[in-house]
Amino acid sequence: MKFASILSHLPHKTAYAHCDIPCGIYDPHASQMAAHTIIRMTQFLEEIKRDNETKVEHDIARVTHIKEEHGQLVEEELETLQNDYFKEEHYKAHKNLKDLLAKGVSLSVKTRQSIDMKAAGELLEIVMQIAEIFYKTKNVPSKRVKSTYPTELDIVVPA
Amino acid sequence: MIISLFKTSGHSMEPEITNGSFFIASGVPYKFTNPKIGDLIIFKNQNKTIVKKIIKIEKKNYVIAGQNLSDSMKFEPITKKDILGKVIFNF
């Protein structure tokens, strides 16, 4: 178990070290794109042909690196929404929001640790639900549409 | 505040304190000494505990900023009474 994991079980407070300008620019789009990328990278990893050992190692390293980066991006984007955008009234109006954010971060870690299409699909579903809540807090109607990405899965956009 | 464990949220103090890392802060050091340039400190701003670095001292006012240059110049200088504690150990 990592030392940080041990510390996280101890009572602690949060100290913020965010960008200090209250820019007001928040968007759940980046987390959805990143979740799609994780799915795509997971597809690549499942489909890699093992006919050339050197090339296979090279391809796995590159694809895994991208999957790792986008898992981190999902975590950061969700934490920005959690820490900087969502307010107490949003949590009161959407009782599942806190759980969705926690589950999203947890799944972003799980998809980095493994080649798990089920977890990647669940992550996309979670970030889409968070996106739907985000647009509700903005009083902007939203809808799920089929993305134009190779994943051919949905994405939440303003209606 | 005698001593507390904190988890960092955000990137403005990287590379010294990274997002998600932990640090220990204490108010005790400033009972005996004054904050100095380079100290990593925590203070309250709009009900949030913020971690920053002292980069300048002007007439007992402390100018603070993040480690990343893009994050500097965002807070007004603070006084010693605004400072909750000093980062004494980060993991």
Side-chain angles (χ1 to χ4, degrees):
Chain A
M1 185 183 281
K2 285 183 180 177
F3 190 49
S5 300
I6 298 167
L7 290 174
S8 67
H9 292 292
L10 299 174
H12 63 268
K13 301 168 187 171
T14 299
Y16 293 90
H18 286 277
C19 164
D20 306 319
I21 301 173
C23 60
I25 299 172
Y26 304 104
D27 198 317
H29 189 71
S31 60
Q32 294 186 87
M33 279 183 67
H36 275 272
T37 304
I38 291 167
I39 288 173
R40 189 67 178 138
M41 293 304 113
T42 305
Q43 287 173 344
F44 280 147
L45 286 168
E46 288 179 343
E47 293 166 3
I48 276 179
K49 291 186 173 60
R50 298 181 175 275
D51 45 5
N52 179 326
E53 194 176 328
T54 305
K55 186 175 183 311
V56 165
E57 286 176 359
H58 174 263
D59 290 351
I60 289 174
R62 291 192 70 211
V63 172
T64 304
H65 175 67
I66 298 296
K67 182 164 74 70
E68 187 78 17
E69 277 187 339
H70 284 77
Q72 182 68 33
L73 181 59
V74 170
E75 181 175 353
E76 289 173 5
E77 289 292 323
L78 294 185
E79 285 182 347
T80 298
L81 289 175
Q82 181 172 19
N83 295 320
D84 295 356
Y85 176 69
F86 287 126
K87 302 288 184 294
E88 201 54 44
E89 61 263 31
H90 300 145
Y91 291 106
K92 279 182 185 164
H94 305 280
K95 302 288 185 198
N96 61 340
L97 177 56
K98 196 172 180 181
D99 286 344
L100 286 172
L101 289 162
K103 196 167 182 188
V105 171
S106 172
L107 282 166
S108 80
V109 174
K110 189 173 180 182
T111 55
R112 274 173 272 176
Q113 291 171 331
S114 55
I115 303 170
D116 188 337
M117 188 58 82
K118 184 169 176 285
E122 286 174 1
L123 176 62
L124 177 61
E125 174 59 32
I126 294 286
V127 295
M128 284 198 297
Q129 288 184 35
I130 292 168
E132 286 167 336
I133 291 175
F134 174 88
Y135 288 119
K136 278 180 188 167
T137 66
K138 293 278 190 186
N139 294 319
V140 173
S142 66
K143 61 181 179 185
R144 291 186 180 209
V145 297
K146 188 176 176 182
S147 73
T148 55
Y149 312 142
T151 56
E152 299 186 335
L153 295 168
D154 286 354
I155 190 166
V156 174
V157 294
Chain B
M1 182 185 75
I2 297 175
I3 195 164
S4 285
L5 178 67
F6 290 88
K7 183 179 182 183
T8 312
S9 173
H11 299 268
S12 77
M13 293 302 290
E14 291 180 355
E16 206 153 353
I17 302 179
T18 56
N19 182 40
S21 68
F22 288 82
F23 66 83
I24 291 171
S26 170
V28 175
Y30 296 148
K31 301 286 181 198
F32 306 102
T33 60
N34 283 323
K36 59 182 190 299
I37 292 171
D39 282 0
L40 304 180
I41 54 125
I42 54 168
F43 62 100
K44 281 277 185 190
N45 182 275
Q46 297 180 347
N47 281 328
K48 283 185 172 180
T49 304
I50 313 284
V51 56
K52 293 288 167 190
K53 188 176 203 171
I54 296 173
I55 58 166
K56 206 177 197 181
I57 301 171
E58 294 175 335
K59 297 177 183 172
K60 295 189 177 177
N61 287 322
Y62 297 91
V63 180
I64 50 175
Q67 290 282 85
N68 297 327
L69 289 176
S70 60
D71 269 344
S72 59
M73 297 172 62
K74 313 302 188 320
F75 286 103
E76 291 294 313
I78 58 175
T79 62
K80 186 176 177 181
K81 69 176 174 53
D82 297 320
I83 298 174
L84 298 176
K86 178 182 181 180
V87 177
I88 55 174
F89 196 84
N90 60 312
F91 304 94

